[in-house]
Amino acid sequence: MSSADRGRPVTDEDEAAFRHETPAEKLDRNWNELLQELRVMQTGTQIVTAFLMTLPFQSRFGDLADHLRGWYLVLLVAAVLLTALMLLPVVIHRRFFGRHVKNRTVELGDRVVKICLAGMGLLLAGCVAFISHALMAPDVALWVTVGTAVVIAVLMGVLPLLLRPGLSSRTRR
């Protein structure tokens, strides 16, 4: 009977035993999974960052209200910093390569990915706020922004909690 069948969450030890892998093999697998997640996130973040970087060169950018220019600058800096933060696990891996600290690198990478996911959700909601305030009346833009932020929060925060392994349908209710 598996851990999930007994009603408790599946642990890393359960998974390692199921996979018949050594601790080093588990670290390698976890590192590769983190890199795959970072690749997906980097593509989206880089596209948003590139979009924001090209905006000032559009002819209508000069027509933006001053408060929207400030909002734009906050979004641009946030996007660039988020892009740089996503590189941190790889930078640390390169810096400490061959020094037998992969466990710490994987732990840090996990934390960075979680922070980046939250940051990406905020960045996307911020971009919607910026664009909707540039295009619509403030009250409509507020509703669009709040609605989008709620959907992002549900998709990135609530839904994964509801879908986590090891919970029976009875426990979820």
Side-chain angles (χ1 to χ4, degrees):
M1 179 181 277
S2 74
S3 298
D5 294 334
R6 290 190 301 263
R8 73 173 175 84
V10 177
T11 65
D12 285 343
E13 291 78 22
D14 294 334
E15 188 170 356
F18 173 76
R19 291 175 176 268
H20 307 290
E21 60 189 3
T22 66
E25 290 169 333
K26 178 184 163 211
L27 285 172
D28 288 341
R29 178 178 50 82
N30 287 343
W31 178 249
N32 286 328
E33 289 175 6
L34 274 168
L35 287 179
Q36 291 299 335
E37 292 169 1
L38 284 167
R39 283 184 186 106
V40 171
M41 290 175 14
Q42 280 178 333
T43 302
T45 304
Q46 288 169 345
I47 289 170
V48 172
T49 303
F51 163 75
L52 289 169
M53 287 182 163
T54 63
L55 280 182
F57 303 103
Q58 304 303 313
S59 59
R60 291 193 54 215
F61 191 81
D63 299 339
L64 276 180
D66 287 341
H67 74 284
L68 287 178
R69 287 176 190 245
W71 187 244
Y72 163 78
L73 190 57
V74 168
L75 288 173
L76 176 64
V77 170
V80 168
L81 293 176
L82 188 60
T83 301
L85 183 61
M86 283 187 197
L87 297 174
L88 184 60
V90 176
V91 170
I92 289 173
H93 182 263
R94 277 293 97 210
R95 175 73 176 90
F96 296 111
F97 183 76
R99 294 193 183 174
H100 307 288
V101 292
K102 188 173 269 186
N103 59 333
R104 291 177 55 204
T105 305
V106 170
E107 288 172 13
L108 174 74
D110 179 59
R111 283 190 212 119
V112 168
V113 165
K114 289 174 182 174
I115 292 167
C116 287
L117 285 169
M120 192 62 189
L122 291 171
L123 181 63
L124 292 173
C127 286
V128 168
F130 171 73
I131 294 169
S132 62
H133 278 84
L135 298 176
M136 302 172 200
D139 56 335
V140 174
L142 179 64
W143 283 107
V144 169
T145 300
V146 169
T148 302
V150 167
V151 170
I152 289 171
V154 167
L155 291 174
M156 294 178 78
V158 176
L159 189 59
L161 291 175
L162 295 174
L163 298 175
R164 72 178 174 249
L167 294 180
S168 68
S169 57
R170 212 175 329 161
T171 306
R172 277 188 274 227
R173 280 185 245 148

